[in-house]
Amino acid sequence: LSTTFKLFNYVCHQNKEQVVRYLQPTIFREYAFIEPLWMAQETRIPMTKVPLCPRCGQIREFELQIMPQIFDKIMELRLVDWETIVVYTCVNVDCLVKSPTEGHYQEEFAYIQISDDFKSVRYGNEQQMSEQAKVRAVEAAEEVDSSLQKECESEIKELESEKQ
């Protein structure tokens, strides 16, 4: 088991009733960089992939995390195969919606850490599904390339051994 999973499991075990982890970045930013708890290192999102705020162009930071313990509270969610949901919000305090004329909601970014056995399922809008299909195609091509390379190396060794 990975260290990432052990930490995730330990924290969840210590806080069995915690379904939401909340950290207000504007308050805690000066003390330390706080990260979400990830279940797996391989499927976490790098900060470089978190999109900038569409209103002001500033970076977004981790603020809220929905933990898998929510499955125990809302049984319908057991049909979904995710590990955790992490919400990133704009760091610019001046960017917040201040009046009804600007709208009532601020667009934020949520990342769903999907479990490894969920890779074959298609989710999201058309563009996201298209991007996922491209990723799967590249992964498949890499596997074929690796397999072909091994076959060629094996055949070359056989030919060389036949010559001797």
Side-chain angles (χ1 to χ4, degrees):
L1 296 176
S2 72
T3 305
T4 303
F5 178 75
K6 287 178 187 175
L7 175 63
F8 187 89
N9 200 33
Y10 174 79
V11 172
C12 288
H13 185 72
Q14 297 299 315
N15 303 287
K16 294 176 183 165
E17 297 297 315
Q18 183 184 42
V19 295
V20 175
R21 294 182 69 233
Y22 176 76
L23 171 84
Q24 190 173 5
T26 54
I27 293 175
F28 293 99
R29 186 179 304 123
E30 62 192 61
Y31 299 108
F33 177 73
I34 308 293
E35 283 196 30
L37 277 173
W38 297 105
M39 189 175 275
Q41 188 72 22
E42 304 80 31
T43 54
R44 65 183 285 179
I45 186 171
M47 285 301 295
T48 56
K49 299 278 185 175
V50 175
L52 300 175
C53 174
R55 283 176 54 96
C56 70
Q58 293 290 318
I59 63 167
R60 291 174 167 148
E61 288 184 350
F62 163 63
E63 182 170 345
L64 173 79
Q65 181 172 13
I66 300 172
M67 305 297 286
Q69 292 90 302
I70 200 165
F71 289 136
D72 297 330
K73 307 290 181 195
I74 304 174
M75 299 308 248
E76 292 82 7
L77 291 177
R78 289 182 185 232
L79 299 173
V80 182
D81 197 4
W82 53 269
E83 295 172 340
T84 188
I85 300 173
V86 180
V87 178
Y88 294 87
T89 59
C90 182
V91 297
N92 183 359
V93 178
D94 296 327
C95 183
L96 296 175
V97 174
K98 294 177 179 68
S99 71
T101 58
E102 293 183 78
H104 296 284
Y105 301 100
Q106 178 85 7
E107 180 181 331
E108 302 300 355
F109 175 74
Y111 175 76
I112 303 172
Q113 187 176 35
I114 304 294
S115 65
D116 285 338
D117 58 346
F118 199 63
K119 286 182 181 176
S120 62
V121 176
R122 292 172 179 81
Y123 55 92
N125 62 32
E126 284 186 38
Q127 180 184 358
Q128 291 167 327
M129 288 172 49
S130 174
E131 289 172 15
Q132 292 167 33
K134 289 176 189 174
V135 168
R136 284 194 297 276
V138 168
E139 289 172 351
E142 288 171 352
E143 284 181 33
V144 167
D145 286 346
S146 175
S147 177
L148 285 174
Q149 183 178 356
K150 288 177 185 175
E151 283 181 38
C152 289
E153 288 171 357
S154 175
E155 287 181 30
I156 290 170
K157 285 180 183 177
E158 281 182 38
L159 289 172
E160 287 175 348
S161 67
E162 287 176 7
K163 285 182 180 180
Q164 296 173 355

